[in-house]
Structure formats: structure tokens, C-alpha cells
Amino acid sequence: MDIRFLFLSAAISSLAITPAVAQAATCDDPIIAQKIFDRRAKKGPMPTAHARIINIQLGADDLSRVQQDLGESEPLARQEHAPVRVCYTSLEPDGPVILFEAGALGGWRRLTAFCVVTGPDAAVMRSHCKATSKITSELMTDGGLRAGQTLAKTRAMLGKPTLTKTGKDNYWFSTRTPQNADLTEYIGISRLGEKVVGFKVSRVESN
């Protein structure tokens, strides 16, 4: 599958959510030229621990598992073909927001991405999200990726970014599954100065 089409389609779909959520650039889907992806994407899978957060696993768990663990949350408004998204926020006034996504390649049920947002973007998104004590300022992936940590620590953890843009480090991983499907994984780090203010992790498997 042409990776440009895959991520461009996802990026267009990401605009089809409520205006408030669309303002959170951390949750935008990335676009990368095929030739850059082919040349720079890390060969091999993303560290599995970064695909898991608060005991929820991308590619394995679905939206019903999220709602079972974190409580019922009304899916955000969307247009046809856009991912189904549910949102949760901390009870802490300045705590993070986490958005879970189930896209077309997950059958609109299996999780294909999550993103964590802090700061002003989280404040804008908060009214669309269900508050729960299970989301705290210590929210992190099983691999230790957390909003609020230093950029230096994040880069030491993930290595050199595939592509760096203003305010964002992008990491792509490309491999094939034992079933011979293409697996494209992504970590996007939103940064402000030398601090991580949010991140998105996605996992897309295609034949």
C-alpha cells in the first residue's frame, strides 16, 4: 500500500472531528512522502511497550475494552470514514487528556491509535471528554513515554527521529507481520522548547 495515501487519508479524516478536538495538533495524523518513508523509516517494529498504555494495547484491544476499563464515553462527532474516537481526561485541573481511536483498518472497533495531550490543547478538549481518576499526570506508555518529560530523555529512548518539523518529532517504523502483512507504526512527539507536551502512537496493519 502507498504510505502517502494511507496517511493522507487519515489526515483528511482527522479534520472530521469536533472543532475543539481538531485544534489539538498532537492528535493530527502525519503525512510523509513515500520516498522519505522508504529511505528513513526505521526497519523493524516499534518497541511494543510504547503501544500499551494504562493496560490497553493497540492492535489487540478494542473500544469496548477502553469503555469497560475507563467508563462509558460518548464517541466524538465524526464524518463518514473518520476514525471512531473516545476521549478521557484527568480529574486534576491541569491533568492530561487521552484520545483513543479505532479506524477503518481496525474495523472501526479495534484500536489503531491513542494520543495524549497536555497544556492549552488539553484545556480546549476537556469538555468533550469523560473525567476519570485512572488518568493522572503520571500517564505514560509501558515503555516510559510521558508528556512532561524532557526532549533529551525522549530522544535517548527512541533514537533519531525519522522526520523533524517545527514543534514535532516524527518516528515511523516499518516491518512485516508473521502473516506477511505490512505493519506501519508511528510515534509523534509534540514539543515546546525542550519539553514534551504530548504524543501520538498509531499502528496500521494492511495487506
Side-chain angles (χ1 to χ4, degrees), residues 56 62-75 84-88 100 130:
I56 295 170
D62 58 22
L63 288 174
S64 64
R65 164 69 190 279
V66 173
Q67 302 222 12
Q68 177 182 331
D69 283 9
L70 302 181
E72 292 290 331
S73 179
E74 186 70 22
V84 179
R85 291 174 166 94
V86 291
C87 185
Y88 295 86
F100 291 96
K130 180 178 179 62

Side-chain angles (χ1 to χ4, degrees), residues 9-17 21-22 27-29 82-83 85 101 200:
S9 298
I12 292 171
S13 295
S14 73
L15 299 178
I17 58 180
V21 178
C27 298
D28 289 348
D29 288 296
R85 291 174 166 94
E101 299 183 3
K200 180 168 186 173

